[in-house]
């Protein structure tokens, strides 16, 4: 076939894809007879109501000398690892505010960090395109630095996000600026699977975020600059299980819903969305005007342990607490007393759901908990 | 649809890109060379990294800035990829005939949420874990004892 004929075929195929995508969008719209907010209202649900001193900042963790970019809790107890522009990871006991480790990184340009399920290791990645593993029990070297115990190399772009596969310290999933995600065997240091890549049915732009399903660790979701989120089965790397369209900008953050059947996203388009993984339905859009006609990007999200609350950090310093059922903002942590003085770049919930940690460009981390009167129903 | 790479509009770069020159780190590690996707300006998360332009995956070269840039092999691969996309979307269209409406899922969602005790809610299902209040105990604050209603 000549180049001209190939070009024609290419154009025809592109147009077919476009037409089919539109038809899919229309057909999906017909199935959306209600969103979560509409349905919840029809069932008599009312918004969560916080008193002025209910959610309070009960700890401020100071120690970084630069913007905080990422944080992660241990699955057990009270420890947090954070990564900062200052080129360090710090491991904190959030309850006592003490730092247990301060790890100077071989590459200062870190973007993400994660705690292993047993709490014995931490992982980080960034512009060096490598995911580095540190064993917290290792002896430090001559300069007092914790040595790297493993380097996971293979990505051809920055490592934007990483998460250990739950219940084992041996596997990790990464997302990268090279448009792929990777599943790694930490023991061997090798990449077991590549999700996406050129002409594979994966993302078509930088991947910024991953989240592994807490109920089924073979499933994970990724968010990308191509405005989509994709669901993957780790056993099938060749194509995504499903692609979720809807956002109109980079998907900066993805997080599985606690029940494992849905996930949330946060985007440059200023909205958070809730998607159902089995049907692919977009269940709810969370958007509220911030004032001054600004539409700040969402930088990070987390769900409370029941899923009733969605915490969303925005680039203008707001941290909205959304009632996920009623689709309303019920609190703004960014305007509370003792709040951060800069953008909130990362959020995470403790394993038992009793505390939220926020990390900010003001170089601090803060712990928020419920200190009001609690009604048990 | 010609450009199958990110359709997101260009965002304010200053908001998203980190500026490595402002770091206070004492590390002397050099700025690594990074292949950064050219899909959107907001994807340049590394600030001032060296940018190796890469051919847009699949479609970009056709009728784009470099007509004829894609060779026959590459174009054939791109067409194969598009055919695969067509099949995937067709499968999803067929699958939609068997899917329920969103109201069914919404009902499930409410049940799921209301079945889990949540420490951060003013009203929640029990049981309450004693550890929930550890953030306000000991010498770390002078909160009054809370009353359970």
């Amino acid at each position: 076939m000549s180049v001209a004929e190939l070009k024609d075929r290419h154009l025809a195929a592109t147009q077919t894809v476009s037409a089919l995508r539109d038809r899919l969008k229309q057909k999906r719209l017909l199935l959306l007879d209600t969103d979560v907010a509409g349905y919840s209202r029809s069932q008599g649900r009312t918004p969560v109501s916080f008193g002025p001193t209910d959610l309070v900042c009960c700890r401020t963790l100071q120690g970084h000398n630069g913007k905080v970019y990422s944080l992660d809790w241990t699955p057990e107890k009270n420890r947090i690892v954070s990564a900062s522009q200052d080129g360090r990871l710090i491991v904190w006991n959030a309850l006592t505010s003490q730092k247990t480790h301060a790890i100077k990184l071989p590459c200062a340009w870190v973007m993400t960090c994660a705690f292993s399920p047993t709490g014995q290791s931490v992982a980080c990645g960034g512009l060096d395109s490598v995911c580095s593993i540190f064993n917290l029990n290792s002896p430090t070297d001559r300069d007092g630095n914790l040595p790297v115990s493993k380097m996971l190399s293979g990505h051809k772009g920055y490592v934007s996000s990483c998460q250990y596969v739950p219940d084992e310290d041996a596997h990790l999933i990464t997302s990268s600026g090279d448009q792929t995600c990777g599943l790694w065997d930490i023991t061997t240091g090798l990449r077991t699977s590549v999700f996406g890549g050129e002409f594979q049915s994966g993302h078509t732009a930088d991947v910024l975020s991953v989240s592994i399903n807490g109920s089924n660790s073979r499933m994970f979701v990724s968010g990308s600059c191509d405005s989509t989120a994709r669901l993957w089965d780790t056993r099938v790397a060749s194509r995504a299980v499903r692609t979720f369209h809807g956002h109109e900008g980079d998907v900066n953050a993805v997080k599985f819903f606690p029940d494992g059947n849905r996930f949330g996203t946060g985007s440059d388009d200023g909205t958070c969305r809730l998607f159902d993984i089995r049907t692919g339905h977009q269940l709810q859009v969370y958007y509220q005007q911030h004032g001054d006609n600004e539409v700040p990007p969402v930088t990070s999200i987390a769900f409370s342990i029941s899923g009733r609350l969605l915490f969303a950090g925005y680039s203008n310093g707001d941290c909205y607490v959304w009632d996920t059922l009623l689709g309303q903002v019920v609190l703004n942590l960014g305007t509370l007393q003792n709040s951060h003085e800069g953008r909130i770049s990362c959020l995470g919930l403790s394993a038992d759901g009793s505390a939220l940690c926020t990390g900010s460009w003001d170089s601090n981390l803060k712990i928020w908990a419920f200190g009001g009167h609690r009604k048990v129903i | 649809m010609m450009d199958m790479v990110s359709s997101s509009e260009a965002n304010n770069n200053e908001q998203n890109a980190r500026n490595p020159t402002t770091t206070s780190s004492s590390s002397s590690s050099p700025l690594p060379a990074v292949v950064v996707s050219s899909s959107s300006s907001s994807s340049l998360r590394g600030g001032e990294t060296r940018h190796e332009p890469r051919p847009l995956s699949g479609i970009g070269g056709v009728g784009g800035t470099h007509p004829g840039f894609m060779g026959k092999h590459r174009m054939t691969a791109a067409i194969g990829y598009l055919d695969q996309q067509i099949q995937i979307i067709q499968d999803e269209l067929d699958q939609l005939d068997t899917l329920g409406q969103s109201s069914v899922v919404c009902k499930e969602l409410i049940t799921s949420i209301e079945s889990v005790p949540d420490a951060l809610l003013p009203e929640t299902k029990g049981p309450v874990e004693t550890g929930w209040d550890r953030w306000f105990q000991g010498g770390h604050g002078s909160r009054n004892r809370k009353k359970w209603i």
Side-chain angles (χ1 to χ4, degrees):
Chain A
M1 232 188 240
S2 70
V3 170
E5 282 165 331
L6 282 175
K7 272 194 188 177
D8 286 342
R9 270 199 65 187
H10 192 280
L11 180 60
T14 307
Q15 286 168 342
T16 306
V17 167
S18 180
L20 281 176
R21 283 237 172 99
D22 280 341
R23 190 158 16 131
L24 185 62
K25 194 172 161 186
Q26 294 311 314
K27 208 168 170 183
R28 277 208 173 274
L29 273 176
L30 290 176
L31 285 172
L32 292 183
D33 58 330
T34 182
D35 63 7
V36 173
Y39 184 81
S40 302
R41 279 193 302 267
S42 76
Q43 298 298 304
R45 298 302 188 276
T46 52
V48 172
S49 174
F50 283 109
T53 55
D54 278 352
L55 274 190
V56 290
C57 171
C58 53
R59 302 284 188 282
T60 297
L61 306 179
Q62 295 176 302
H64 279 300
N65 294 318
K67 300 172 180 177
V68 176
Y69 288 130
S70 178
L71 68 90
D72 192 29
W73 289 82
T74 36
E76 40 75 43
K77 286 300 171 191
N78 305 310
R79 290 186 302 152
I80 295 175
V81 63
S82 58
S84 163
Q85 185 192 37
D86 65 9
R88 282 177 159 72
L89 299 183
I90 295 182
V91 179
W92 314 81
N93 180 320
L95 197 57
T96 62
S97 301
Q98 283 175 332
K99 306 177 207 13
T100 61
H101 297 78
I103 304 170
K104 185 172 164 186
L105 299 173
C107 173
W109 317 118
V110 64
M111 297 173 73
T112 181
C113 61
F115 232 127
S116 73
T118 60
Q120 299 198 15
S121 316
V122 293
C124 68
L127 293 197
D128 56 355
S129 308
V130 165
C131 193
S132 301
I133 313 292
F134 296 88
N135 185 327
L136 296 177
N137 301 318
S138 298
T140 52
D141 64 19
R142 255 178 329 192
D143 304 319
N145 293 323
L146 203 62
V148 179
S149 59
K150 210 79 182 186
M151 291 186 81
L152 309 177
S153 307
H155 275 305
K156 301 192 190 84
Y158 60 88
V159 174
S160 50
S161 181
C162 63
Q163 188 181 347
Y164 279 83
V165 176
D167 300 328
E168 41 162 326
D169 273 17
H171 291 93
L172 189 97
I173 291 183
T174 52
S175 62
S176 172
D178 68 6
Q179 308 186 359
T180 71
C181 295
L183 171 66
W184 305 79
D185 180 329
I186 296 171
T187 323
T188 59
L190 297 175
R191 189 164 43 172
T192 314
S193 304
V194 180
F195 303 91
E198 201 169 28
F199 300 141
Q200 304 295 306
S201 291
H203 285 295
T204 53
D206 301 22
V207 191
L208 302 177
S209 177
V210 284
S211 175
I212 304 176
N213 189 337
S215 310
N216 175 1
S217 57
R218 278 207 289 260
M219 308 295 286
F220 70 94
V221 71
S222 57
S224 165
C225 291
D226 65 11
S227 310
T228 70
R230 280 170 216 246
L231 178 68
W232 301 89
D233 182 328
T234 54
R235 297 165 297 181
V236 183
S238 53
R239 52 168 278 194
V241 172
R242 196 187 287 284
T243 301
F244 299 83
H245 297 270
H247 276 298
E248 292 165 3
D250 299 1
V251 179
N252 298 315
V254 290
K255 199 61 69 80
F256 255 101
F257 195 75
D259 70 2
N261 291 319
R262 288 151 266 276
F263 67 92
T265 53
S267 165
D268 270 4
D269 67 9
T271 70
C272 298
R273 292 172 199 237
L274 186 68
F275 292 94
D276 181 76
I277 64 171
R278 286 172 307 183
T279 59
H281 290 326
Q282 178 183 281
L283 299 176
Q284 186 67 45
V285 179
Y286 300 96
Y287 175 69
Q288 179 176 290
Q289 195 70 29
H290 289 252
D292 298 335
N293 290 325
E294 49 171 319
V295 185
V298 179
T299 61
S300 47
I301 60 170
F303 287 103
S304 70
I305 201 169
S306 67
R308 183 64 191 262
L309 301 175
L310 167 65
F311 299 95
Y314 296 79
S315 61
N316 67 347
D318 282 338
C319 183
Y320 282 173
V321 182
W322 290 92
D323 179 328
T324 52
L325 287 186
L326 277 300
Q328 291 177 23
V329 178
V330 293
L331 200 59
N332 181 359
L333 297 181
T335 56
L336 289 186
Q337 203 179 18
N338 232 356
S339 182
H340 286 289
E341 287 165 10
R343 169 195 300 216
I344 288 173
S345 54
C346 47
L347 303 162
L349 210 69
S350 65
D352 67 351
S354 65
L356 172 77
C357 182
T358 52
S360 167
W361 280 14
D362 70 4
S363 81
N364 293 331
L365 289 92
K366 285 182 183 283
I367 309 293
W368 307 81
F370 185 86
H373 290 283
R374 189 183 283 122
K375 184 175 173 188
V376 181
I377 43 180
Chain B
M1 280 307 296
M2 287 298 284
D3 180 6
M4 285 189 71
V5 193
S6 170
S7 58
S8 61
E9 58 195 5
N11 280 310
N12 184 351
N13 226 8
E14 285 73 45
Q15 276 199 310
N16 287 330
R18 296 186 287 155
N19 183 355
T21 58
T22 61
T23 185
S24 57
S25 167
S26 57
S27 166
S28 59
S29 60
L31 205 53
V34 172
V35 176
V36 176
S37 168
S38 57
S39 55
S40 89
S41 60
S42 62
S43 68
L44 202 68
R45 288 185 162 314
E48 298 147 41
T49 55
R50 258 187 287 139
H51 177 123
E52 290 176 65
R54 59 195 293 175
L56 297 173
S57 75
I59 318 307
V62 178
T65 51
H66 300 283
F69 176 75
M70 272 212 284
K72 277 171 104 168
H73 287 297
R74 214 174 146 68
M75 205 171 310
T76 306
I79 292 167
Y81 167 75
L82 284 170
D83 287 341
Q84 194 190 29
Q85 294 305 296
I86 289 169
Q87 190 55 53
I88 288 172
I89 300 173
Q90 193 59 62
D91 287 347
E92 195 174 336
L93 273 166
D94 295 339
Q95 198 194 40
L96 280 185
D97 293 330
T98 63
L99 287 182
Q101 291 179 309
S102 56
S103 49
V104 176
V105 180
C106 291
K107 185 175 177 190
E108 260 178 43
L109 184 69
I110 294 186
T111 308
S112 159
I113 285 176
E114 293 180 344
S115 66
V116 179
D118 191 329
L120 296 176
L121 291 176
E123 271 189 37
T124 180
K125 173 186 189 299
V128 165
E129 304 290 327
T130 47
W132 284 3
D133 292 336
R134 63 188 184 280
W135 306 102
F136 302 103
Q137 285 158 6
H140 294 285
S142 52
R143 306 290 310 173
N144 297 327
R145 300 302 299 154
K146 296 188 329 305
K147 293 185 177 54
W148 301 108
I149 298 172

